[in-house]
Amino acid sequence: MHRAPNPSAPAWPAWARFALALLLGVAMGVWCIAEVWPFFADDAFISLRYADRLLAGQGLTWTDGERVEGYSNLAWVLLCASFGAGLGTATAARVLGLLGMGTALALFAWRFRHSPAAGIGVLLPATLAFAPWAIGGLELPLLVLCATGGLLAYERAFAAASPAPALVRSGICFAVAALTRPDAPLLPAVLAITWFLCAWPRRREGARPLFEVAAFSLPVGVAMVGQLAFRVAYYGDWLANTSRVKVGDGAGLPAEGLAYVGDAVVVMGGLWVLAALGAASARWQRAGPGFVAALVAATLAWVAYLIAIGGDFFPAFRLVVPLLPVLALLAGIGLERLANGGGRRALAASLLVIGATVACRLQARHHPEKARVAAEVWEFDGLAIGGLLREAFASTSPLVAVDAAGAVPWASRLPSLDMLGLCDAAIARDPLRAPARTSFERAHRRGSADYLLARAPDVFLFGCAPGDLIPLDPAGRALVDDARFVADYRCVFFEVPAAIRRAGGSTPLFAPLWLRVHGRCGVQVRDDGVHIPAILFGSAPMVPGFRPEPPEDPPARAVWDRTVAQLLPWLSLSSVVVVAEGAPWLEVRKAGELRVPALHLPPGDWTLEAEPAAGTLELRDAADAPLPRVGGRWRVASAADAVDVVWVLAAAPAPWRLRRVTCRPR
């Protein structure tokens, strides 16, 4: 249905108003995106890892050996996989995000092309939530596009003599939305109820409310049932693992959610004010008050949902983005009604949309969330670390345990263990460790040291890239204090080329990685001898109970000071791991002694070989005394005695590089 132009309106052709609004909207979007580039959410790489493995013939899996539904955006995963075959999945996610948001802007500009309300296509990119999530790699652009198409078709149903075809089209759009996010069905549920309430009194006029609601709801229901059937058949679970890991109490979360929504209303106040104007327009030209009521009900339902779940810990109001199409339509309706009649009314509508755009733009530029988005570049550090791990350990395929399950596993392509449980069914079913205090903790408070150590990861990376020396969460601290972890793992600093240029220039990163001494990256016992990777000479063990922050208790502070004094030579980064020629090398920058302690060598005579030759090598006992030597060979008397392999470097030219040391029996 096309609206006839208002004869008293300015002589602007509809296509010209559409083209101008779209051009200005794209320009505004480019400006806003430039300010937050190169933002890309770490969780997006979880979805992209699924897409990559699907393209590689490994199924919809996150890692080898288990099927876990660690994504919550099936349609987005499949779409990125479809386009990623030619572009690469990360590039595909960027391009699809821009296309999705850009198409939504075009739809709004076209819908309101007959009035100044076409400026909604410029207002939306000016909001703080738009630009980051247009390029953030997650499913939100697809959801915005589906919601926009669904709402516009739903609007046409109100104005149509036979609404069923438009309702079916709307339902199909929302069916794709339901496959894009698990909370998306909330919107069509509200719309279906509103349609029934509006259509029921018109039964005598030929309305068939039950049939029409069924026509609208059937595509959504089929999509939801189909995904559930696939989940049960493929993953053997009735509940997505991402939902299971978040199940638990929500004490205190409504207050946090209320603050979240309040902050979003303030920072995007221009859009909310115009949406309120539209909500007040109960009667307007194109449809009836039922559509406005549906938009208002959808807004209230989504706001109530955000309050109930405690908001969101991602930056730039991620969970407000699905509401943008609803608010934009309400705002456009209000402006369209105001401009009806042309003249001063049209001028007032134009000034309102300009004022709202300027207000949203100024709020976005100076809001802390904008600075938070611009500063969030650790995902690119994760990409650099993941690429380095892949280069260093591709031949041994170690199991890498991570807290942030996105960028590092995606770039490394190595077998991985998600310690937060999004992609691990056992951790998702683990009992809750503590009540949730924030929306972040609600999704990240499971896991046990027993389970993690039983999985025996070869590499631990704690926290966000470039990593924390000691984990900050209670479960992680319990893990590193465990005697088994202390005995089996040692920390080394990997020197990682900087992923992006920071304000101070492009400087290397130093990632603390905990390696299992006898794991795939550690000591290897073979027929020709015991092979020790040089990286273990630059490692240090965990000191149980040690924390980066000094304790207040004086006796505990004294112990802490002594521990720091012992760790300072190691923490000074006098030796780091560099990756060259596809292998990890230890680079030592100061003379001294480095050792790999507590190795159990069978009794007999042993020779020590360094690759390449540098410094001198010794075997020492637990008292740090050299073992006896016979004809240039080190003699081990008993297998029960642990020996230290010591590498001694004199003050000769530095730095030295060492790849491996081999203990060979003679």
Side-chain angles (χ1 to χ4, degrees):
M1 177 178 179
H2 297 279
R3 179 191 173 110
N6 190 326
S8 60
W12 268 78
W15 67 265
R17 186 179 283 110
F18 162 75
L20 179 62
L22 183 58
L23 179 63
L24 293 177
V26 170
M28 177 67 74
V30 170
W31 181 19
C32 297
I33 287 171
E35 292 185 347
V36 297
W37 187 271
F39 174 72
F40 204 92
D42 189 71
D43 277 22
F45 289 108
I46 297 178
S47 302
L48 297 184
R49 181 164 161 115
Y50 276 92
D52 278 333
R53 290 177 62 84
L54 180 62
L55 288 173
Q58 297 168 306
L60 275 172
T61 59
W62 185 76
T63 195
D64 299 338
E66 54 187 342
R67 290 183 180 180
V68 179
E69 189 179 359
Y71 55 84
S72 56
N73 47 11
L74 177 60
W76 183 248
V77 170
L78 297 178
L79 193 61
C80 288
S82 300
F83 285 83
L87 296 174
T89 53
T91 301
R94 291 276 206 202
V95 172
L96 290 170
L98 293 171
L99 286 176
M101 290 298 208
T103 304
L105 293 182
L107 289 174
F108 283 117
W110 181 255
R111 160 61 183 88
F112 297 110
R113 64 193 181 280
H114 293 293
S115 77
I120 291 298
V122 186
L123 170 59
L124 275 181
T127 61
L128 175 57
F130 187 94
W133 297 111
I135 61 171
L138 282 173
E139 69 285 345
L140 295 163
L142 177 59
L143 183 57
V144 167
L145 180 59
C146 291
T148 302
L151 288 169
L152 292 176
Y154 184 83
E155 179 190 17
R156 286 181 176 273
F158 270 97
S162 177
L167 287 173
V168 170
R169 292 194 297 272
S170 178
I172 291 172
C173 290
F174 282 111
V176 179
L179 296 175
T180 304
R181 270 195 66 86
D183 48 13
L186 175 61
L187 293 177
V190 173
L191 297 180
I193 294 171
T194 307
W195 182 272
F196 180 83
L197 294 176
C198 291
W200 185 258
R202 297 187 292 106
R203 298 190 310 281
R204 294 182 180 179
E205 302 172 13
R208 297 179 294 171
L210 291 177
F211 171 77
E212 292 160 0
V213 167
F216 173 73
S217 304
L218 184 61
V220 181
V222 169
M224 295 176 66
V225 172
Q227 184 175 15
L228 178 61
F230 170 75
R231 177 180 300 133
V232 173
Y234 193 77
Y235 295 109
D237 200 347
W238 290 90
L239 188 65
N241 201 67
T242 50
S243 299
R244 189 178 296 281
V245 79
K246 299 173 185 178
V247 171
D249 67 276
L253 293 185
E256 186 181 351
L258 190 60
Y260 178 84
V261 171
D263 202 13
V265 170
V266 170
V267 74
M268 292 180 274
L271 178 60
W272 284 88
V273 167
L274 293 185
L277 174 66
S281 303
R283 299 186 62 83
W284 53 293
Q285 296 96 337
R286 185 167 180 176
F291 182 59
V292 176
L295 295 177
V296 172
T299 301
L300 295 176
W302 196 263
V303 166
Y305 163 68
L306 293 182
I307 293 173
I309 65 172
D312 185 39
F313 58 85
F314 278 91
F317 304 102
R318 176 185 65 138
L319 290 187
V320 178
V321 175
L323 196 56
L324 291 181
V326 182
L327 297 174
L329 274 173
L330 277 172
I333 289 167
L335 291 169
E336 190 176 55
R337 174 169 172 76
L338 177 63
N340 187 25
R344 294 180 178 179
R345 295 171 65 91
L347 177 60
S350 301
L351 292 177
L352 272 177
V353 74
I354 292 172
T357 302
V358 172
C360 284
R361 186 72 185 105
L362 291 176
Q363 285 278 59
R365 284 179 63 88
H366 300 290
H367 196 275
E369 287 293 302
K370 158 55 167 39
R372 183 182 168 199
V373 172
E376 187 170 312
V377 295
W378 62 265
E379 291 87 351
F380 297 92
D381 297 341
L383 293 178
I385 293 170
L388 182 141
L389 289 173
R390 183 184 179 195
E391 182 182 359
F393 300 121
S395 61
T396 56
S397 294
L399 178 62
V400 182
V402 294
D403 280 329
V408 173
W410 181 80
S412 73
R413 302 186 185 179
L414 297 173
S416 300
L417 171 61
D418 177 8
M419 292 189 285
L420 299 185
L422 290 172
C423 303
D424 189 280
I427 294 177
R429 289 172 169 81
D430 199 62
L432 299 176
R433 297 298 170 194
R437 293 173 297 175
T438 66
S439 59
F440 178 83
E441 289 186 3
R442 186 178 187 183
H444 303 90
R445 54 197 171 113
R446 301 179 189 268
S448 68
D450 288 340
Y451 172 74
L452 292 174
L453 292 173
R455 292 289 305 272
D458 301 289
V459 182
F460 276 101
L461 174 62
F462 297 115
C464 300
D468 298 324
L469 178 62
I470 298 173
L472 303 178
D473 60 291
R477 290 189 171 187
L479 168 69
V480 298
D481 286 341
D482 191 287
R484 294 166 292 178
F485 183 91
V486 175
D488 293 344
Y489 290 88
R490 294 177 67 89
C491 186
V492 294
F493 279 98
F494 276 69
E495 185 174 274
V496 187
I500 66 172
R501 184 171 295 276
R502 290 170 170 76
S506 184
T507 57
L509 306 169
F510 296 98
L513 301 179
W514 291 86
L515 306 184
R516 187 158 62 98
V517 173
H518 293 280
R520 294 179 181 87
C521 306
V523 177
Q524 303 293 314
V525 180
R526 302 173 187 158
D527 292 340
D528 62 341
V530 177
H531 298 263
I532 307 171
I535 56 180
L536 293 180
F537 285 92
S539 67
M542 181 64 201
V543 179
F546 178 73
R547 300 291 178 261
E549 63 278 359
E552 296 181 0
D553 180 61
R557 176 60 185 262
V559 174
W560 187 87
D561 289 339
R562 289 195 297 271
T563 303
V564 169
Q566 295 171 0
L567 291 175
L568 274 178
W570 175 68
L571 291 172
S572 67
L573 298 177
S574 58
S575 62
V576 297
V577 175
V578 297
V579 177
E581 303 173 17
W585 295 68
L586 182 70
E587 182 171 287
V588 183
R589 298 166 181 176
K590 293 181 181 179
E593 294 184 357
L594 301 105
R595 69 182 61 211
V596 176
L599 289 181
H600 289 272
L601 300 178
D605 293 343
W606 296 82
T607 60
L608 302 179
E609 300 174 2
E611 179 190 335
T616 59
L617 292 166
E618 300 177 0
L619 291 182
R620 299 183 187 175
D621 60 20
D624 204 31
L627 268 63
R629 298 186 67 176
V630 178
R633 301 172 184 172
W634 302 91
R635 175 158 294 174
V636 176
S638 171
D641 295 331
V643 298
D644 292 0
V645 181
V646 181
W647 187 32
V648 183
L649 293 167
W656 301 269
R657 281 193 177 183
L658 184 68
R659 183 169 182 175
R660 71 170 61 90
V661 168
T662 304
C663 304
R664 299 191 185 278
R666 294 290 182 181

